[in-house]
Amino acid sequence: MNAQGMPRVLSEGAEQLKGEMSRMSSIMGALAVSDLVRSTLGPKGMDKILQSQSNNQSVEVTNDGATILRSVVVDNPAAKILIDISRVQDEEIGDGTTSVCVVAGELLREAEKLMMMRVHPQTIIAGWRLAVDSCRQVLERIKVDAGRDSDLFRQQLVKIAQTTLSSKLLTNDRDHFANLAVDAVLRLDKENPDLDLIYILKKPGGSIRDSFLEEGFILDKSIGVGQPKRLENPRILVANTPMDTDKIKIYGAQVKTDSIAKMAEIEAAERAKMVEKCKKIIGHNVNVFINRQLIYDLPEQEFTDAGMCSIEHADFDGIERIAAALGGEIVSTFDHPELVRVGSCKLMEEVIIGEDTLVRFSGVPAGSACTVVLRGASSQVLEEAERSLHDALCVLLTAVKSPYTICGGGSSEMEMALECDKLAKTTPGKKALAIEAYSRALRQIPKIIADNAGYDSVELVAQLQAAHANGEVNMGLDMKNGVIADMTEVGVHEAFRSKLQVIVSASEAAEQILRVDEIVRCAPRQRGGHGH
């Protein structure tokens, strides 16, 4: 029995929130996450410093919404929903991770006002669904087909990349990196593009502008001692196999000997076993051996004597990429050379970037494979540059798959808001209030972008609203000069699929949170046993 004399259903320690309390708890948790990334939105958004509590006290400086939210530990279930939609947006599109959280937060802020007016959540949701359908029609109407094989398509891709990079660390060099990203993406197969074939290599030193695109694949490893440093048309075997058994390694067993001589016999047997394995590898008629695991001194000497190159400790991502780029397969056993598909390239050579020695594979069978070498002053700068460039590459890949673009700078949000206002005037009942609230939430996006840049957001949004009411659908915010301008002339473009995903995902997340009328927290698990 509980304090009111009612029978207890939940176990001791469990918590239960019902009705208005649960709904307010959900909305406040989601708004806290939305407000956390709100100031990072737009081309002049601010950065956050993320400091780890682990032993190394690592520091990240970023304004990438997905990275910020991934690093935040939250207890509120509604906050976790917003973090999840940001993660999904990052995986599906690569950009818009901040926008999707901010839009969802603004929708919930407006919903809270409506519920204070005694509008039922289901009525709000019904109105929102009408508004989402209207927004989808607006985006379909204003999208532009750039065509996949024209010069116009490349220009549109460059503008999309520049728009994505304008809110990132690379904004000052966005022209350089936009062209670099477009060159890398256009190398991929248009029917089945694979982003894994674009490898981003970070090398401290120099400036950000020293970054470049290298044809082929660069592996951040070095060739064994005394082995050839340059080979033309090599045959390359890519493997994942232990090459360290020149020492005794018998798991789960103990070996007892009564003399040093018998110990030497066991070691000799191990060495003979490793020599035999090396002969099988050499028998594949290859002259380069790349292994994911370590290669110890004995097998390396065997390969050197055979005139082969060996590269050890290629990490798993690296070995997967290089197998795909070289057209080979990763092998673990070597008894049947005739069944193994070995890789190849036109030239393998050692190169020096900064102060490090690396291995470059040029003329690989997967002609689309390339490496972006990032230079920068510190590890934090390089990591943020990698995140920025990865977002641009993902958005470009989305644009290649679906070659439609729309104007950015808040123009699409303002056009959708205008259409929602028209819909609200012809919709009977309280659903019209929900549609008007959806319109107000959309108008918050250009307002936040202007606020984050330090401009008069009320004035700019009012001008933008008037322009769209007069039929100027391409007008948006020019944050470089603090005025409204035609986005086609300024060159601010976004991928159609990215914007559509933001609207749909934010609406679904806000709807899911709004449906909640009860939160049940299970009792914490009790530690078993006694003592420590």
Side-chain angles (χ1 to χ4, degrees):
M1 304 288 285
N2 59 15
Q4 287 77 30
M6 299 294 290
R8 175 180 290 279
V9 176
L10 302 177
S11 62
E12 190 73 30
E15 296 180 29
Q16 188 175 20
L17 291 176
K18 288 188 175 183
E20 197 68 21
M21 287 295 295
S22 66
R23 196 169 288 123
M24 288 301 107
S25 172
S26 297
I27 290 176
M28 296 310 294
L31 289 179
V33 169
S34 175
D35 291 343
L36 177 65
V37 295
R38 181 188 178 104
S39 63
T40 68
L41 186 67
K44 296 194 176 181
M46 307 301 284
D47 288 357
K48 309 285 185 188
I49 292 180
L50 308 174
Q51 186 169 5
S52 169
Q53 292 300 313
S54 60
N55 293 332
N56 59 0
Q57 295 283 305
S58 62
V59 172
E60 282 183 308
V61 182
T62 181
N63 71 347
D64 181 55
T67 304
I68 295 168
L69 296 179
R70 198 184 302 123
S71 305
V72 175
V73 179
V74 295
D75 187 44
N76 188 285
K80 291 180 181 178
I81 291 174
L82 254 62
I83 291 173
D84 282 344
I85 65 164
S86 175
R87 178 182 55 79
V88 170
Q89 179 78 14
D90 190 39
E91 292 172 355
E92 287 291 315
I93 306 295
D95 193 29
T97 54
T98 303
S99 299
V100 72
C101 275
V102 172
V103 172
E106 294 305 321
L107 287 174
L108 290 170
R109 209 183 300 272
E110 293 296 331
E112 185 182 7
K113 298 175 186 175
L114 292 178
M115 286 189 291
M116 296 293 287
M117 297 164 57
R118 300 298 178 189
V119 180
H120 195 275
Q122 292 293 356
T123 305
I124 299 172
I125 290 168
W128 281 358
R129 288 183 176 178
L130 294 174
V132 170
D133 290 339
S134 177
C135 291
R136 191 190 297 267
Q137 292 170 11
V138 170
L139 291 176
E140 291 283 352
R141 172 167 57 83
I142 64 176
K143 71 180 182 182
V144 177
D145 185 358
R148 292 187 175 178
D149 300 315
S150 63
D151 292 336
L152 175 63
F153 182 49
R154 179 186 166 80
Q155 293 172 15
Q156 291 289 79
L157 288 181
V158 170
K159 289 176 181 177
I160 290 172
Q162 287 173 338
T163 303
T164 302
L165 294 171
S166 65
S167 62
K168 310 289 184 183
L169 173 76
L170 304 177
T171 180
N172 292 328
D173 298 304
R174 62 179 178 269
D175 293 344
H176 173 68
F177 281 97
N179 283 287
L180 187 148
V182 170
D183 288 340
V185 168
L186 289 180
R187 292 173 60 89
L188 299 176
D189 181 12
K190 289 183 175 59
E191 299 301 322
N192 187 26
D194 183 6
L195 204 59
D196 285 339
L197 291 176
I198 301 175
Y199 179 47
I200 300 177
L201 179 65
K202 297 172 291 188
K203 280 293 163 191
S207 69
I208 281 285
R209 195 160 182 81
D210 293 333
S211 304
F212 61 93
L213 178 68
E214 183 69 44
E215 178 187 347
F217 191 90
I218 295 179
L219 189 63
D220 191 6
K221 299 295 172 184
S222 56
I223 297 172
V225 178
Q227 297 174 349
K229 307 299 182 188
R230 187 178 190 277
L231 288 173
E232 295 183 1
N233 300 312
R235 286 170 54 83
I236 304 166
L237 182 64
V238 184
N240 178 16
T241 185
M243 300 296 291
D244 56 352
T245 47
D246 55 336
K247 63 178 181 178
I248 295 177
K249 188 172 67 175
I250 303 174
Y251 294 109
Q254 290 183 337
V255 180
K256 293 183 178 180
T257 62
D258 54 10
S259 70
I260 297 298
K262 289 182 179 178
M263 183 73 173
E265 289 176 9
I266 295 173
E267 289 182 346
E270 287 287 331
R271 291 171 63 88
K273 183 180 175 183
M274 177 50 63
V275 170
E276 182 63 28
K277 187 175 185 178
C278 291
K279 287 180 179 178
K280 287 181 180 179
I281 294 171
I282 295 168
H284 282 65
N285 192 27
V286 295
N287 41 14
V288 179
F289 177 68
I290 302 174
N291 192 30
R292 184 197 169 200
Q293 303 181 41
L294 290 171
I295 300 176
Y296 272 49
D297 294 342
L298 176 64
E300 183 177 322
Q301 185 60 46
E302 291 290 325
F303 295 140
T304 304
D305 293 343
M308 286 176 56
C309 290
S310 61
I311 301 172
E312 66 173 0
H313 222 205
D315 57 278
F316 193 75
D317 287 341
I319 207 91
E320 287 280 337
R321 276 200 185 92
I322 201 164
L326 297 175
E329 59 184 2
I330 302 172
V331 296
S332 297
T333 58
F334 310 97
D335 294 325
H336 299 285
E338 69 280 0
L339 301 178
V340 176
R341 187 174 76 247
V342 300
S344 62
C345 66
K346 291 183 179 177
L347 177 65
M348 185 205 79
E349 60 182 342
E350 263 193 356
V351 295
I352 296 176
I353 298 178
E355 297 180 355
D356 298 327
T357 303
L358 305 94
V359 183
R360 179 174 62 194
F361 300 86
S362 306
V364 295
S368 54
C370 58
T371 303
V372 178
V373 181
L374 290 179
R375 307 302 307 280
S378 67
S379 59
Q380 285 85 6
V381 169
L382 286 173
E383 286 169 7
E384 180 64 3
E386 182 187 21
R387 285 189 289 268
S388 304
L389 188 60
H390 180 265
D391 285 355
L393 291 171
C394 289
V395 171
L396 289 173
L397 195 64
T398 301
V400 168
K401 291 178 181 177
S402 176
Y404 297 102
T405 64
I406 58 173
C407 290
S411 64
S412 57
E413 284 85 0
M414 195 57 71
E415 190 65 21
M416 288 187 287
L418 188 65
E419 196 66 29
C420 287
D421 285 339
K422 294 178 183 176
L423 177 64
K425 292 175 182 176
T426 59
T427 303
K430 290 183 178 180
K431 285 190 283 190
L433 297 176
I435 297 171
E436 288 175 354
Y438 201 98
S439 172
R440 288 195 298 272
L442 289 174
R443 284 198 183 91
Q444 287 300 309
I445 299 301
K447 181 179 183 300
I448 294 168
I449 291 173
D451 280 337
N452 289 344
Y455 296 119
D456 185 348
S457 60
V458 176
E459 174 69 21
L460 289 175
V461 171
Q463 291 180 17
L464 194 58
Q465 190 170 345
H468 279 263
N470 292 326
E472 300 177 59
V473 297
N474 293 332
M475 296 300 283
L477 298 177
D478 177 7
M479 288 294 93
K480 186 175 181 181
N481 301 308
V483 296
I484 67 168
D486 190 326
M487 293 294 99
T488 55
E489 296 177 3
V490 179
V492 179
H493 291 264
E494 296 180 77
F496 160 76
R497 193 173 156 210
S498 173
K499 184 62 69 177
L500 180 61
Q501 185 76 27
V502 166
I503 297 298
V504 172
S505 296
S507 301
E508 288 177 352
E511 178 182 327
Q512 187 177 17
I513 293 169
L514 212 55
R515 285 176 177 273
V516 173
D517 73 337
E518 187 170 347
I519 299 174
V520 179
R521 285 194 179 91
C522 298
R525 182 182 298 175
Q526 299 297 322
R527 289 181 177 272
H530 303 282
H532 300 293

